Amino acid sequence: MERINKLRQVLKENQFDAIYVTDLLNVRYLTGFTGSTGVVFVTQDKAFFITDFRYNTQANQQVKSASVVIHQNGVDQEIKNLIDQEKIKTLAIEADNMNVSHYLRIQELFEVDIKASQGLIEKIRLIKDESELATIRQACEITDQAFEHILTFIKPGVTEIQVANELEAFLKDKGSTGMSFDTIVASGERSAMPHGVASEKVIEDGDIVTLDFGCYYNGYSSDMTRTIAVGSISDKLKEIYEIVLEAHQRVIQEAKAGMTGKEIDAIARDYITEKGYGEYFGHSTGHGVGLNVHEMPAVSSRSEDVVVSNMVITDEPGIYIPGIGGVRIEDDLIVQEDRVVPINRSPKELIIL
């Protein structure tokens, strides 16, 4: 109930009588429901979870913070019934989740003042409780185990797709319910592609290989990147690696609660720029991690988001030079008052297989 009570406070601050929650991640956050069909209707003193007959048993087992309602004539009709029953005058909807056709349908059906809201629940989700942090730690632990395993698998002659498939099979064997994004395995010159999703390219001796992967564990995500070498690599790539590693470590040494995303981003960006590679670092230094692998806060050169204790963010500077290759190193970090704590334990010094 604590999460719903926090939402009620936000509703009160925004002068909303109720909210119609349609985003399934927010539904899960508020109720614990893990199915694929369900919405939540929260007022100042009541909460309802609405689904269909297929999820009757599951909903009654999982949902403890809201009254379970099995609709008979469609979700929107059930919401209309609740609006009338609870005498709701102002209803918030999740503007970032509801499509236009759905909005037009409820605008005609509901006799209420509909208000588009953005990020109400996502802002509550920013700060993780102890159970959430424990789950994210476990997601990171099996990600670390997968990296340790894949080092025994990568060799000249295997393809990037084979590496990705091996990673994903290992993670699922350890309890992951799926990958938190398409696995990135980018070798040789392809490592200069920040989002070089695994291809049929064969890994060769002398390649640098970037591995960016993560998994879902009990609904929460992990996101880790390591860059390794297969055989000897050029001095230029070794130089780039050391610069990225130092930028990454500086974020861990200097970031803490109270800083903005822009300030944290500058720790890595300014160092890489100082070393002459600023133009080759084109993405943000990090982002939030939780039920979504990319969520608030933003850790970018434009972000005024302030990080506070128990947020989880990534630290992932990189340098990418077309025709040569690229390097990225990434950990998930728990923000604390006077520091950040890396969750991942995988080694970061250059590994040469």
Side-chain angles (χ1 to χ4, degrees):
M1 286 297 293
E2 181 182 355
R3 294 175 182 180
I4 286 181
N5 286 335
K6 288 180 180 178
L7 177 57
R8 286 192 175 114
Q9 182 59 39
V10 173
L11 295 179
K12 187 176 181 180
E13 291 168 0
N14 286 274
Q15 298 182 320
F16 299 145
D17 294 332
I19 184 170
Y20 182 7
V21 182
T22 51
D23 185 305
L24 276 173
L25 290 181
N26 288 337
V27 169
R28 178 171 185 157
Y29 180 75
L30 294 172
T31 68
F33 179 72
T34 61
S36 60
T37 302
V39 301
V40 176
F41 184 76
V42 178
T43 73
Q44 284 297 334
D45 56 4
K46 294 180 183 177
F48 302 89
F49 171 77
I50 301 102
T51 190
D52 62 50
F53 76 97
R54 296 172 299 166
Y55 293 103
N56 193 355
T57 299
Q58 180 180 348
N60 280 285
Q61 288 175 346
Q62 292 183 326
V63 178
K64 306 302 179 186
S65 58
S67 300
V68 175
V69 178
I70 306 301
H71 70 78
Q72 302 299 324
N73 299 304
V75 172
D76 289 338
Q77 183 59 52
E78 198 61 55
I79 296 292
K80 174 178 167 46
N81 296 341
L82 291 170
I83 288 171
D84 296 342
Q85 172 187 306
E86 301 301 319
K87 297 179 172 55
I88 301 301
K89 291 182 171 54
T90 304
L91 176 70
I93 60 169
E94 296 185 290
D96 291 328
N97 179 261
M98 185 176 289
N99 61 37
V100 175
S101 62
H102 190 186
Y103 171 74
L104 293 174
R105 189 165 66 248
I106 66 169
Q107 191 178 43
E108 184 175 340
L109 180 63
F110 297 170
E111 295 178 3
V112 67
D113 185 12
I114 299 173
K115 299 290 188 182
S117 71
Q118 292 180 296
L120 297 187
I121 300 169
E122 287 82 355
K123 287 175 184 175
I124 299 171
R125 282 169 42 190
L126 278 168
I127 301 173
K128 275 59 179 177
D129 61 31
E130 286 305 317
S131 67
E132 291 178 289
L133 292 175
T135 304
I136 293 171
R137 286 190 187 99
Q138 186 57 35
C140 289
E141 171 58 27
I142 62 176
T143 304
D144 282 324
Q145 291 176 22
F147 178 68
E148 185 176 8
H149 168 73
I150 209 65
L151 292 178
T152 68
F153 181 84
I154 296 174
K155 61 184 177 182
V158 302
T159 66
E160 294 172 352
I161 283 283
Q162 288 175 316
V163 173
N165 289 343
E166 183 70 16
L167 273 172
E168 293 176 17
F170 183 93
L171 286 162
K172 289 179 180 178
D173 185 61
K174 293 298 181 180
S176 164
T177 54
M179 307 304 290
S180 46
F181 53 92
D182 289 340
T183 299
I184 293 170
V185 181
S187 60
E189 291 185 10
R190 289 190 77 251
S191 62
M193 302 166 60
H195 279 187
V197 174
S199 74
E200 294 290 348
K201 180 190 174 301
V202 174
I203 294 173
E204 303 173 25
D205 187 72
D207 276 353
I208 198 163
V209 184
T210 296
L211 307 162
D212 186 351
F213 62 101
C215 69
Y216 281 110
Y217 179 80
N218 285 348
Y220 285 82
S221 56
S222 63
D223 185 3
M224 185 181 82
T225 307
R226 292 294 185 270
T227 301
I228 63 171
V230 178
S232 61
I233 59 172
S234 69
D235 289 342
K236 172 64 75 174
L237 286 172
K238 288 179 181 177
E239 176 194 5
I240 291 168
Y241 192 98
E242 292 304 319
I243 292 169
V244 171
L245 178 58
E246 177 63 20
H248 171 90
Q249 296 287 35
R250 287 187 178 207
V251 171
I252 293 172
Q253 292 161 6
E254 299 177 32
K256 60 184 177 181
M259 296 180 70
T260 64
K262 184 176 182 178
E263 289 170 333
I264 296 173
D265 179 89
I267 297 170
R269 193 169 306 280
D270 289 353
Y271 178 74
I272 290 174
T273 300
E274 174 191 321
K275 291 297 181 178
Y277 291 96
E279 66 181 295
Y280 301 108
F281 177 24
H283 59 74
S284 63
T285 296
H287 54 82
V289 172
L291 286 169
N292 232 337
V293 73
H294 291 94
E295 59 181 45
M296 297 186 293
V299 183
S300 72
S301 59
R302 298 182 301 275
S303 174
E304 299 296 341
D305 296 343
V306 177
V307 303
V308 302
S309 289
N310 289 350
M311 287 183 179
V312 178
I313 60 174
T314 65
D315 168 17
E316 49 180 307
I319 295 174
Y320 314 91
I321 303 179
I324 295 177
V327 174
R328 181 166 65 256
I329 301 170
E330 175 185 21
D331 277 346
D332 297 333
L333 313 175
I334 299 174
V335 178
Q336 296 187 349
E337 285 300 321
D338 58 350
R339 58 178 177 160
V340 291
V341 178
I343 308 175
N344 303 95
R345 58 174 176 77
S346 295
K348 287 177 275 196
E349 297 298 328
L350 179 60
I351 294 171
I352 300 177
L353 299 180

